[in-house]
Amino acid sequence: MTRKIFKLLYKLGLLRRFEQIDAIHYLKRLARGKHPADGGYFSERDALQFTPGPALKRTSFRGASVFFRCEMTYPLEWKILQSGYFDRDVLELVADLARPGLAIADVGGNVGGLAIPWALALPEVEVHSFEPNPLALARLRHNLALNPGAKVHVVEKAVGERPGSLEFHAFDGQYLGDSSFVQPPKIDHPGRVMAVEVITLDDYFEGRRIEPGVIKLDIQGYEAQALAGAARLLSRARPYVVFEHEDQNFPQASQAARAKQVLADIFAEHHYDVYYITRFSRDLLLPVDWQRPLAGNLLALPL
């Protein structure tokens, strides 16, 4: 094919120039190479510097520049490369709910995809990020080094119902975000099984000069236990709770049903209303029906 033919294909919209695609597809193009006559596939100058591996992604959240080291083999980082954000709905919702002088408890901090933007955009709010997986912690620490203005209190411990030590399934690569105390049904190997220290949110914030205004939970099926260890905070501080529940995180439907019942009981006891955040919009929420299949993010509002 000649350059004229390629130019015609681009003009007709049958091909898309590199300026019109997202970062994921651009990196894939660089990795594949191109026809010598195709001047719109990628920048020749970019190709001179490209090697497969990590890339730095700059994004912006509420006026603050945020940098992340990303690899396409990590789904969370893949999302950041593609759109600039890991979970835009949770990111925005928690930022809207956060109150000056109070903290955000980020339980399940992973690589810092939420904690770092919160810390940069909300300097009047303390961010405490809890992450026990050393494989994720290394990436979180690197991202914090890229964003020296992000004052995140990193707690290298898990959150649960009572203090102690428990076996934890730590995964890397494409399953990094599935690390949990619960063996993920979709993964046919246990990962790196290790003992991790468990603390409670009640104990962590007891006697501190600050309390959480928002608790965010994304810990792959262990949310009920974490909330059971935050009973005093739920009664005293009345934080908003933004959390995930996925039935598929549990090996059996009966286990998922039991977890939902425990969550329902905790929120009823502490006088919270719970709503499912629709995929349509984070501004459209539905009253949760704990008896029906559930997969997504939820918001618990103190009454």
Side-chain angles (χ1 to χ4, degrees):
M1 294 178 71
T2 66
R3 287 188 179 274
K4 288 184 177 180
I5 293 176
F6 275 112
K7 286 181 179 180
L8 178 61
L9 292 173
Y10 283 115
K11 185 176 181 180
L12 294 173
L14 299 176
L15 294 177
R16 298 175 66 194
R17 289 186 56 84
F18 67 84
E19 299 96 337
Q20 300 172 313
I21 62 176
D22 62 48
I24 290 289
H25 289 92
Y26 188 62
L27 291 173
K28 287 181 177 180
R29 285 188 179 188
L30 287 169
R32 282 195 295 262
K34 70 179 182 69
H35 190 284
D38 187 350
Y41 197 66
F42 56 62
S43 164
E44 296 283 358
R45 295 185 179 185
D46 292 353
L48 293 174
Q49 285 294 309
F50 174 77
T51 54
L56 185 70
K57 175 71 174 182
R58 187 190 75 85
T59 188
S60 179
F61 180 61
R62 301 196 174 189
S65 288
V66 190
F67 294 92
F68 289 107
R69 178 187 183 274
C70 298
E71 293 186 67
M72 288 191 291
T73 52
Y74 289 74
L76 186 154
E77 295 174 356
W78 187 94
K79 291 182 181 179
I80 294 173
L81 272 173
Q82 185 183 49
S83 68
Y85 308 94
F86 165 53
D87 189 330
R88 185 66 182 268
D89 285 344
V90 171
L91 186 68
E92 294 282 4
L93 179 59
V94 170
D96 287 342
L97 297 173
R99 289 169 276 178
L102 296 178
I104 295 172
D106 175 32
V107 182
N110 209 289
V111 304
L114 297 174
I116 293 173
W118 287 331
L120 289 171
L122 306 169
E124 72 282 5
V125 175
E126 284 190 13
V127 180
H128 297 250
S129 189
F130 302 81
E131 178 54 61
N133 183 359
L135 305 174
L137 278 165
R139 306 180 85 82
L140 169 58
R141 294 287 188 190
H142 189 101
N143 286 328
L144 280 171
L146 294 171
N147 297 276
K151 307 304 182 185
V152 177
H153 302 264
V154 178
V155 184
E156 299 183 6
K157 300 173 183 179
V159 170
E161 184 174 3
R162 58 182 62 88
S165 177
L166 288 174
E167 278 195 351
F168 184 80
H169 298 268
F171 298 96
D172 199 6
Q174 70 179 102
Y175 296 124
L176 181 71
D178 295 296
S179 302
S180 175
F181 292 111
V182 181
Q183 168 67 35
K186 68 180 180 182
I187 304 176
D188 60 3
H189 61 90
R192 180 177 164 189
V193 181
M194 62 183 71
V196 299
E197 184 179 354
V198 181
I199 61 173
T200 70
L201 289 177
D202 278 341
D203 289 346
Y204 178 81
F205 284 102
E206 189 72 37
R208 290 181 180 268
R209 60 178 179 79
I210 197 167
E211 291 187 326
V214 186
I215 296 173
K216 166 260 166 185
L217 298 160
D218 185 357
I219 45 179
Q220 305 302 305
Y222 212 68
E223 289 79 12
Q225 290 87 339
L227 285 170
R232 297 196 302 274
L233 282 175
L234 294 178
S235 294
R236 183 182 69 248
R238 310 297 288 158
Y240 296 103
V241 183
V242 178
F243 65 105
E244 181 192 57
H245 175 91
E246 301 270 355
D247 286 350
Q248 66 183 13
N249 285 334
F250 299 87
Q252 299 178 357
S254 60
Q255 292 173 284
R258 173 58 183 161
K260 287 186 285 190
Q261 187 59 57
V262 173
L263 287 167
D265 291 344
I266 289 172
F267 286 121
E269 177 184 352
H270 294 284
H271 306 290
Y272 276 75
D273 274 353
V274 184
Y275 296 89
Y276 168 79
I277 304 168
T278 68
R279 298 296 203 277
F280 174 78
S281 169
R282 62 179 173 272
D283 297 324
L284 180 64
L285 299 88
L286 304 174
V288 67
D289 185 340
W290 297 108
Q291 304 304 314
R292 301 176 71 177
L294 183 57
N297 294 317
L298 300 101
L299 170 64
L301 295 172
L303 300 177

